[in-house]
């Protein structure tokens, strides 16, 4: 039996509050399932925290937290992924990557900071100092200090930094596999009819990209390109292979860290 949900009997759904989820939000709000759920928006690290703490039942969470969940179920055929350059996840810097001495890690991210660690070590084969951040740190991206930036702030940072190393493109060059940044994950079994209706809502969103674009005028980056060429929303078998490979790297890297 699915676990008891909140008093309103609505399923609490957490979603990332970046532009890349606007088509999905459009679908969820316009689909019949809208009345069965409460939508909470926050940045990825917070959506992950809410799912771990159990204040939401399902969330579009950074995949890097999957190994930290006591129970997890990947639901739906949709995700935030890429099959080429993702545009909104990159290491930004003023010097080429081999000259970078320090990398500031985006406090809003869980997946991309782990991906940056894997790629710096295995793909670029450099060992800069890695520094966690707490608040906006983008003004500190200068000289030999680079920064991982994700989401809308990354689309802005494209106009600022001299060098941009797209982590989606680098992963694909490194592994030959697509990448999954975030997936719909529940922390308890959910009713099958809800899952089916929620899956359909995601599909409706992706069929209405033009309307999502029209509702969110944005000058900094072309959202048609972003939604149709950079972000790839289908959770395909190839993407699941990329996801498994990434989680394998993460486990291996943390073993190295734990045992020196
Ligand atoms: C591609 C992106 O993927 C995001 C990156 C995440 C992360 O790094 O933890 C989490 C959720 C995704 O929405 C992006 O937001 O730019």
């Amino acid at each position: 039996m699915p676990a008891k949900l909140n008093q309103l009997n609505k399923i609490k759904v957490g979603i990332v509050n970046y532009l890349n989820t606007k088509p999905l939000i459009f679908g969820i709000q316009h689909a019949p399932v809208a009345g069965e759920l409460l939508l909470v928006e926050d940045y990825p690290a917070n959506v992950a925290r809410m799912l771990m703490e159990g204040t939401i039942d399902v969330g579009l969470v950074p995949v890097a937290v999957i190994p930290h969940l006591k129970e997890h179920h990947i639901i739906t055929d949709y995700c935030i992924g890429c099959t080429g350059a993702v545009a909104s996840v990159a290491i930004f810097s003023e010097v080429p990557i081999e000259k970078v001495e320090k990398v500031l890690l985006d406090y809003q991210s869980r997946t991309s900071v782990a991906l940056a660690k894997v790629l710096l070590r295995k793909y670029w084969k450099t060992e800069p100092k890695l520094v966690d951040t707490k608040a906006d740190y983008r003004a500190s991206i200068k000289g030999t200090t680079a920064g991982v930036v994700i989401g809308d702030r990354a689309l802005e940072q494209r106009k600022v930094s001299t060098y941009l190393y797209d982590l989606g493109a680098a992963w694909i060059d490194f592994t030959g596999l697509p990448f999954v940044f975030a997936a719909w994950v529940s922390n308890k079994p959910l009713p099958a009819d809800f899952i089916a209706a929620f899956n359909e809502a995601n599909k409706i969103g992706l069929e209405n990209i033009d309307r999502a674009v029209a509702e969110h005028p944005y000058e900094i980056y072309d959202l048609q390109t972003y939604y149709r060429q950079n972000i790839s929303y289908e959770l395909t078998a190839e993407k699941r292979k990329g996801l498994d490979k990434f989680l394998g790297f993460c486990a291996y890297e943390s073993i190295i860290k734990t045992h020196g």
Side-chain angles (χ1 to χ4, degrees):
M1 275 294 285
K4 194 165 170 276
L5 302 166
N6 57 75
Q7 307 92 318
L8 293 169
N9 236 2
K10 298 214 176 192
I11 293 181
K12 277 194 151 188
V13 178
I15 190 162
V16 171
N17 60 1
Y18 297 158
L19 283 165
N20 55 40
T21 61
K22 295 301 180 201
L24 303 180
I25 291 176
F26 181 92
I28 293 166
Q29 289 177 336
H30 288 81
V33 78
E36 290 176 45
L37 57 84
L38 290 173
L39 203 57
V40 188
E41 295 184 33
D42 213 322
Y43 61 73
N46 279 345
V47 180
R49 187 178 45 74
M50 290 189 283
L51 192 70
M52 285 196 267
E53 292 173 355
T55 50
I56 56 173
D57 304 303
V58 56
L60 186 65
V61 291
V63 294
V65 305
I66 289 176
H68 303 290
L69 288 162
K70 281 194 216 88
E71 180 179 347
H72 82 271
H73 308 267
I74 296 183
I75 65 163
T76 87
D77 305 319
Y78 302 96
C79 67
I80 302 293
C82 67
T83 58
V86 68
S88 59
V89 174
I91 295 176
F92 293 93
S93 78
E94 288 188 349
V95 295
I97 195 96
E98 61 277 7
K99 299 237 165 70
V100 168
E101 289 173 9
K102 194 196 283 182
V103 179
L104 304 174
L105 303 173
D106 194 336
Y107 65 97
Q108 298 198 2
S109 157
R110 298 295 296 275
T111 300
S112 306
V113 296
L115 177 60
K117 288 178 189 175
V118 169
L119 292 173
L120 283 165
R121 187 179 289 194
K122 305 261 176 205
Y123 176 73
W124 285 297
K125 299 188 193 323
T126 62
E127 295 207 0
K129 189 165 183 255
L130 303 172
V131 182
D132 287 329
T133 59
K134 285 202 180 75
D136 198 14
Y137 55 95
R138 281 181 294 153
S140 307
I141 300 175
K142 56 182 182 219
T144 55
T145 298
V148 174
V149 189
I150 72 165
D152 307 358
R153 294 160 307 134
L155 297 176
E156 293 165 13
Q157 193 68 25
R158 298 172 68 89
K159 307 251 180 219
V160 178
S161 291
T162 321
Y163 291 88
L164 174 165
Y165 296 90
D166 187 296
L167 297 190
W171 168 264
I172 290 156
D173 190 43
F174 176 46
T175 63
L177 291 169
F179 193 74
V180 180
F181 292 91
W184 287 112
V185 176
S186 72
N187 52 14
K188 55 180 74 69
L190 294 176
D193 54 352
F194 172 81
I195 294 176
F198 191 67
N199 199 52
E200 182 63 20
N202 278 253
K203 181 165 174 269
I204 291 171
L206 298 179
E207 286 164 358
N208 283 283
I209 284 178
D210 288 348
R211 291 182 64 184
V213 171
E215 283 184 6
H216 298 281
Y218 192 63
E219 307 262 294
I220 290 168
Y221 193 84
D222 178 47
L223 292 184
Q224 289 284 359
T225 306
Y226 189 42
Y227 295 154
R228 295 183 191 279
Q229 287 168 39
N230 300 126
I231 303 288
S232 173
Y233 292 97
E234 288 79 22
L235 184 53
T236 59
E238 276 300 285
K239 286 217 191 71
R240 283 179 186 266
K241 271 195 216 164
L243 173 57
D244 288 346
K245 186 153 193 122
F246 172 63
L247 293 180
F249 273 125
C250 290
Y252 183 66
E253 292 296 304
S254 72
I255 286 166
I256 291 174
K257 228 184 271 160
T258 314
H259 300 290

